[in-house]
Amino acid sequence: MCRAVLPAHAGPCGELGAGPLLRWMDAAACLAAEKHAGVSCMTASMDDIQFEEAARVGQIIAIRTKVNRAFKTSMEVGIKVTVQDVLTNAEKIVSVAYATYEAKPVELKPVQLLSAEDHLEHILAIERRIIHLGYVQVFQKLMQESNKEGDFSTQHRRMDA
């Protein structure tokens, strides 16, 4: 997927804003997920977002996506955004990210691994999933503890009144 960076997508310095870039990345990755699943998919998360190089008004960015691994009803999609330097013709990385998409109620077929890079991304996807699920558990625990503290302070104030 290629997109031209227009003035409406850029900030005052003429650089592509993060908002439009993330929307385009999500749309491209969702298309890859839906192609793999054969049904509509929903974004569950976007992780490990790295911004490397700025894209500017008038440049064309290319968004490449690939389903790295399919789990039962979710899948990881790798996203890489590049821009071609008009002076040197060198391709520069704008952003890299990993997104998770849900495809319910179908059970997903496994991803075909065609290259050594595909095998590596497939293995790394499970590692990233374990890390992501760990973050979710820590966040949920913090929220529960926060709610308990809120309940205690509310009860304590009532007793003082």
Side-chain angles (χ1 to χ4, degrees), residues 29-58:
C30 191
L31 287 172
E34 290 175 345
K35 182 178 178 182
H36 181 79
V39 296
S40 293
C41 293
M42 179 178 72
T43 308
S45 68
M46 193 173 280
D47 300 311
D48 297 330
I49 303 168
Q50 300 171 26
F51 297 100
E52 305 285 336
E53 183 78 27
R56 292 176 174 68
V57 171

Side-chain angles (χ1 to χ4, degrees), residues 1 24-43 63 65-67 75 77 101:
M1 169 184 235
W24 297 343
M25 291 167 67
D26 183 41
C30 191
L31 287 172
E34 290 175 345
K35 182 178 178 182
H36 181 79
V39 296
S40 293
C41 293
M42 179 178 72
T43 308
I63 304 172
T65 59
K66 181 178 68 166
V67 177
M75 69 196 94
V77 179
Y101 291 88

Side-chain angles (χ1 to χ4, degrees), residues 6-153:
L6 302 175
H9 307 133
C13 295
E15 293 180 349
L16 174 62
L21 177 60
L22 290 170
R23 279 192 298 278
W24 297 343
M25 291 167 67
D26 183 41
C30 191
L31 287 172
E34 290 175 345
K35 182 178 178 182
H36 181 79
V39 296
S40 293
C41 293
M42 179 178 72
T43 308
S45 68
M46 193 173 280
D47 300 311
D48 297 330
I49 303 168
Q50 300 171 26
F51 297 100
E52 305 285 336
E53 183 78 27
R56 292 176 174 68
V57 171
Q59 291 183 315
I60 307 291
I61 61 167
I63 304 172
R64 293 178 183 86
T65 59
K66 181 178 68 166
V67 177
N68 293 328
R69 188 167 192 148
F71 301 98
K72 187 173 182 179
T73 61
S74 68
M75 69 196 94
E76 181 192 89
V77 179
I79 308 163
K80 182 179 180 182
V81 182
T82 58
V83 64
Q84 187 115 17
D85 186 299
V86 291
L87 299 175
T88 64
N89 278 339
E91 187 176 79
K92 296 182 180 180
I93 296 173
V94 173
S95 184
V96 176
Y98 297 94
T100 302
Y101 291 88
E102 287 289 328
K104 291 184 178 177
V106 301
E107 193 164 319
L108 298 169
K109 64 183 182 224
V111 174
Q112 290 184 350
L113 307 174
L114 304 175
S115 68
E117 183 181 345
D118 290 348
H119 284 276
L120 178 61
E121 286 295 340
H122 189 262
I123 292 166
L124 291 174
I126 193 72
E127 298 299 323
R128 285 187 288 266
R129 183 177 186 174
I130 290 167
I131 291 168
H132 177 77
L133 292 175
Y135 290 154
V136 170
Q137 289 174 346
V138 167
F139 180 74
Q140 288 172 342
K141 185 177 179 183
L142 287 172
M143 291 302 292
Q144 287 173 349
E145 290 173 7
S146 173
N147 288 339
K148 287 177 187 174
E149 289 173 12
D151 292 343
F152 175 75
S153 62

